[in-house]
């Protein structure tokens, strides 16, 4: 199985790279040393020679991350936050692909999805950031919620810890997120009624007090999954006064102050 | 026809399905297994590429055997460019070191990987400083203990490459659990960080024994990678991301400017790369080829590879208009990089020279800013908690 280089009979000599050249080993060593020398010279002259910046590209309004409007089209960045294993990825998978996996791969950093919804006579294209749930990943979250038009804060109805985490996320978004952000609270795993540890009423009251809308969802049975995204789509403010002062899309219902609304179904 | 042939040809002992890479693939034509048994879904071209890769792996194996025959077994264990230069400047050592570096960039044959990785990464040395029974003693000592880390590990076991015929079995879960739990006790600052599950799982598949996988994980976290990559607030990871952004600006200025204009933060995609060491994004053999170089040349390799992924798709990236398009281009690229040489050629020949020393300097430069940012954020959050509490009462 192993072919030995028997052609030249120099089997014990060092034969770098291949067996093609059989003479001049010393010269080769010397030239290699020279290559190494060049190599190290290059170190000192380092990488700093090519740092010109192309500045011709400028952001245009419709490239901004916030919910942006075109003709009856809206692009909206949406972020999912919540404790590890609350079911953030499962909710997204159900919404985007209509699938459910009993064991969803753990998310590292965040995963990106997009999905378009038709709401009345407009379409909303969600750019969804599904984030990692482990506490230490918390420090990465601002990158994902920065400029988001909407957030779904997910907890697991069988875990009070996850509800506590959800409240912390709400606080953080209130303090640091986009002030017009539409926020939804999702009590996921609603199919596990027999293991319930967080009462729906408690979550509902909390949501009302904090200007979120609340739904219990189940990615497994698909209960309320499309509904929660649909509800967000309806509530997205159609006008972004600071960024899109002109060319507003006609909206068939007045923008409800996202924070005040507390509808539940 | 080709599909079925490749299917038979490519199946090895370990079958697996790799959701993260292939779930998003739109046009599925064939299913086949790659070298490490991951089930790959792709088109006929992908299958052909994998066949070529298999042939290249065989050739590479022959090159290694030939060198072993001419230089003696284990010749590569005593060579290292820097130590050879520092110490004797002996030509043979130097030649061996250079040969080895080139050889490793071309790939370590899968059969030799456990042995070569274990020595060249420093894992063997690390292991030799403690009694032989260290790992077994540790396993016995931590058995039955429940900590926040063990709970999180248990939660993630079935979520690590689900569907893999060995990893996703009770035996595979138990092995992975022991490695991760043992490490969480060895270094309680790290404990368990999501992402390590994928790294440890792939290490188990390569190293074959739990104990060797454990030592590889230890050397990776303690020596190869930057400090605090996985501990408390991932500060090391934040540093790496900033360094990466700077490098992208220097090495690929037009891509950088374009993405900047789209308000696309490269960390959105690169964070996962650096935390999972590409295991969740690249096909398995490609990931392991990156790791071959990583264990020999150090953590700077991650920058080469990450830059290469952007560089390879420069034209396409410059045409993107939305954040979503950028991500699609990047994901399509990484998921279909079945030929490791496509990636590594760009990574090492077209990115330009980068040294570990320079990268270390860059890290030092970024550290204070990262610390200040994390600190400031924590303070703001605490003040927001106080506000909320006082608001409620």
């Amino acid at each position: 199985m192993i072919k030995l280089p028997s052609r030249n009979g120099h089997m014990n000599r060092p034969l770098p790279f291949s067996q093609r050249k059989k003479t001049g080993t010393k010269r080769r060593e010397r030239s290699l040393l020279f290559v190494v020398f060049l190599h190290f010279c290059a170190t000192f002259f380092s990488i700093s020679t090519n740092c010109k910046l192309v500045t011709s590209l400028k952001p245009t309004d419709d490239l901004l991350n916030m919910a942006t409007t075109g003709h009856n089209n809206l692009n909206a960045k949406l972020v999912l936050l919540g404790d590890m294993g609350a079911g953030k990825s499962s909710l997204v998978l159900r919404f985007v692909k209509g699938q459910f996996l009993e064991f969803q791969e753990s998310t590292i950093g965040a995963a990106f999805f997009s999905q378009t919804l038709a709401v009345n006579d407009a379409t909303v294209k969600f750019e969804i950031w599904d984030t990692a749930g482990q506490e230490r990943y918390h420090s990465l979250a601002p990158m994902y919620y920065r400029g988001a038009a909407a957030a779904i804060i997910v907890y697991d109805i069988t875990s009070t810890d996850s509800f506590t985490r959800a409240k912390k996320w709400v606080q953080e978004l209130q303090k640091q997120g986009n002030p017009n952000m539409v926020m939804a609270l999702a009590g996921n795993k609603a199919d596990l009624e027999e293991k319930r540890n967080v009462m729906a009423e408690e979550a509902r009251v909390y949501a009302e007090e904090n200007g979120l809308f609340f739904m219990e969802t189940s990615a497994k049975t698909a209960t309320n999954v499309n509904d929660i995204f649909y509800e967000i789509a309806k509530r997205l403010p159609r006008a972004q006064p600071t960024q899109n002062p002109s060319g507003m899309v006609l909206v068939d219902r007045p923008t409800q102050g996202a924070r005040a609304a507390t509808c539940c179904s | 026809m080709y599909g079925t042939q490749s299917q038979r040809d490519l199946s090895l002992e370990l079958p697996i399905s790799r959701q993260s890479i292939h779930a998003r693939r739109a046009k599925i034509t064939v299913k086949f297994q790659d070298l490490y048994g991951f089930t790959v879904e792709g088109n006929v071209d992908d299958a052909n590429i994998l066949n070529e890769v298999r042939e290249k792996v065989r050739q590479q194996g022959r090159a290694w055997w030939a060198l072993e025959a001419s230089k003696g077994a284990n010749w590569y264990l005593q060579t290292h460019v820097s130590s050879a230069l520092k110490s004797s400047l002996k030509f043979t050592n130097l030649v061996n070191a250079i040969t080895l570096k080139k050889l490793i960039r071309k790939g370590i044959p899968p059969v030799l990987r456990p042995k070569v990785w274990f020595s060249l990464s420093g894992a063997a040395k690390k292991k030799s400083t403690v009694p032989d029974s260290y790992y077994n003693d540790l396993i016995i000592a931590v058995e039955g203990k429940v900590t926040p880390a063990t709970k999180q590990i248990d939660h993630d076991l079935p979520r690590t490459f689900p569907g893999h015929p060995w990893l996703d079995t009770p035996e595979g879960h138990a092995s992975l659990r022991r490695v991760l739990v043992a490490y969480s006790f060895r270094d309680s600052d790290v404990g368990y960080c999501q992402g390590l599950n994928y790294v440890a799982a792939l290490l188990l598949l390569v190293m074959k024994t739990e104990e060797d996988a454990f030592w590889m994980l230890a050397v990776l976290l303690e020596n190869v990678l930057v400090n605090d990559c996985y501990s408390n607030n991932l500060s090391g990871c934040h540093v790496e991301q900033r360094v990466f952004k700077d490098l992208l600006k220097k090495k690929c200025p037009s891509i950088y400017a374009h993405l900047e204009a789209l308000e696309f933060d490269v960390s959105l995609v690169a964070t996962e790369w650096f935390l999972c060491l590409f295991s969740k994004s690249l096909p398995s053999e490609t990931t392991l080829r990156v790791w071959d170089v990583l264990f020999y040349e150090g953590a700077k390799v991650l920058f080469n590879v990450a830059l290469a992924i952007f560089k390879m798709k420069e034209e396409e990236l410059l045409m993107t208009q939305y954040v979503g398009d950028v991500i699609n281009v990047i994901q399509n690229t990484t998921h279909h990089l079945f030929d490791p040489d496509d990636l590594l050629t760009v990574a090492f020949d077209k990115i330009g020279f980068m040294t570990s020393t320079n990268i270390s300097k860059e890290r030092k430069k970024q550290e204070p800013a990262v610390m200040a940012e994390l600190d400031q954020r924590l303070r703001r959050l605490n003040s927001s908690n106080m506000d909320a509490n006082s608001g409620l009462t």
Side-chain angles (χ1 to χ4, degrees), chain A residues 47 63 136-137 171-172, chain B residues 194 230 251 321 377 385:
Chain A
I47 5 172
L63 295 179
R136 65 188 76 187
Y137 280 81
Q171 278 176 12
E172 177 163 349
Chain B
Q194 286 192 310
Y230 297 95
K251 303 276 181 183
Q321 295 186 1
R377 205 176 104 75
N385 282 347

Side-chain angles (χ1 to χ4, degrees), chain B residues 99-390:
Chain B
T99 310
L100 185 60
K101 187 173 170 184
K102 284 211 165 188
L103 208 57
I104 284 176
R105 285 183 177 190
K106 284 186 183 167
I108 301 170
V111 268
L112 285 179
R113 260 190 194 126
K115 192 169 118 188
V116 178
W117 280 10
F118 204 65
S119 311
L120 296 185
S121 67
K125 199 174 161 201
K126 192 175 268 294
K127 189 187 168 192
S128 69
T129 60
V130 294
D132 276 351
S133 59
Y134 179 94
Y135 180 71
N136 287 328
D137 294 346
L138 187 58
I139 293 297
I140 293 163
V142 303
E143 208 182 333
K145 289 200 173 152
V146 178
T147 63
T150 64
K151 282 188 205 160
Q152 292 175 341
I153 290 166
D154 285 332
H155 189 86
D156 273 351
L157 291 174
R159 309 206 299 158
T160 308
F161 300 125
H164 187 294
W166 182 74
L167 284 171
D168 199 3
T169 60
E171 193 197 338
H173 288 175
S175 264
L176 182 58
R177 185 180 196 282
R178 280 190 293 269
V179 172
L180 290 171
V181 169
Y183 195 80
S184 79
F185 280 91
R186 176 180 165 92
D187 186 345
S188 53
D189 281 347
V190 172
Y192 170 67
C193 179
Q194 286 192 310
L196 292 180
N197 51 332
Y198 297 103
V199 174
L202 218 46
L203 283 173
L204 270 171
L205 286 183
V206 173
M207 302 304 290
K208 306 283 195 288
T209 73
E210 254 174 69
E211 189 173 354
D212 288 357
F214 170 83
W215 286 111
M216 286 304 295
L217 189 66
V219 83
L220 192 61
L221 268 60
E222 292 158 20
N223 304 86
V224 178
L225 299 177
V226 62
N227 284 341
D228 287 324
C229 226
Y230 297 95
S231 46
N232 58 66
N233 50 16
L234 310 178
S235 59
C237 178
H238 285 273
V239 172
E240 296 294 81
Q241 291 303 317
R242 278 166 172 262
V243 174
F244 177 56
K245 271 176 228 170
D246 269 10
L247 288 172
L248 189 74
K249 191 174 174 180
K250 278 183 195 151
K251 303 276 181 183
C252 313
S254 38
I255 298 178
Y256 180 84
H258 183 73
L259 297 182
E260 191 84 328
L262 297 184
E263 296 197 340
F264 181 87
D265 186 336
V266 289
S267 303
L268 292 171
V269 290
T271 306
E272 187 202 86
W273 296 346
F274 281 76
L275 286 169
C276 299
L277 310 177
F278 298 99
S279 63
K280 223 169 165 285
S281 342
L282 295 174
S284 69
E285 178 62 14
T286 310
T287 305
L288 298 178
R289 284 283 302 276
V290 173
W291 290 16
D292 285 347
V293 196
L294 171 71
F295 288 132
Y296 189 56
E297 296 186 33
K300 65 155 192 172
V301 166
L302 300 176
F303 294 110
N304 284 82
V305 174
L307 288 170
I309 293 171
F310 281 92
K311 185 95 182 165
M312 285 172 92
K313 293 292 160 173
E314 177 151 13
E315 279 174 29
E316 273 181 63
L317 285 170
L318 291 179
M319 296 206 298
T320 53
Q321 295 186 1
Y322 298 98
V323 168
D325 299 342
V326 179
I327 292 164
N328 287 339
V329 169
I330 296 288
Q331 282 182 348
N332 271 329
T333 308
T334 53
H335 294 175
H336 292 94
L337 271 169
F338 291 107
D339 188 346
D341 291 320
D342 286 351
L343 176 65
L344 296 188
T345 312
V346 180
F348 296 115
D349 298 344
K350 303 215 172 124
I351 293 298
F353 199 55
M354 291 194 290
T355 63
S356 295
T357 329
N358 279 337
I359 302 275
S360 304
K361 268 187 214 150
E362 290 295 317
R363 285 187 187 123
K364 280 260 151 30
K365 240 189 335 192
Q366 299 294 351
E367 266 166 23
V370 167
M371 292 306 165
E373 189 185 279
L374 291 172
D375 206 53
Q376 193 189 12
R377 205 176 104 75
L378 212 63
R379 242 181 289 134
R380 254 190 319 213
L381 285 181
N382 286 338
S383 75
S384 82
N385 282 347
M386 281 188 314
D387 291 353
N389 291 340
S390 58

Side-chain angles (χ1 to χ4, degrees), chain A residues 3 75 100 120 184 198 225 262:
Chain A
K3 279 260 167 72
N75 273 9
F100 177 77
N120 303 322
V198 182
V225 176
T262 51

Side-chain angles (χ1 to χ4, degrees), chain A residues 81-96:
Chain A
L81 300 163
D83 204 2
M84 177 178 168
K88 298 174 292 300
S89 304
S90 294
L91 282 175
V92 178
L93 189 69
R94 173 61 80 186
F95 173 57
V96 174

Side-chain angles (χ1 to χ4, degrees), chain A residues 5 41 54 66 94 96-97 100 118 127 131 145 148 173 175 177 263:
Chain A
C41 286
V54 175
M66 296 281 213
R94 173 61 80 186
V96 174
K97 294 195 179 141
F100 177 77
E127 292 174 344
T131 62
Y145 66 64
L173 290 181
K175 187 86 179 175
C263 150

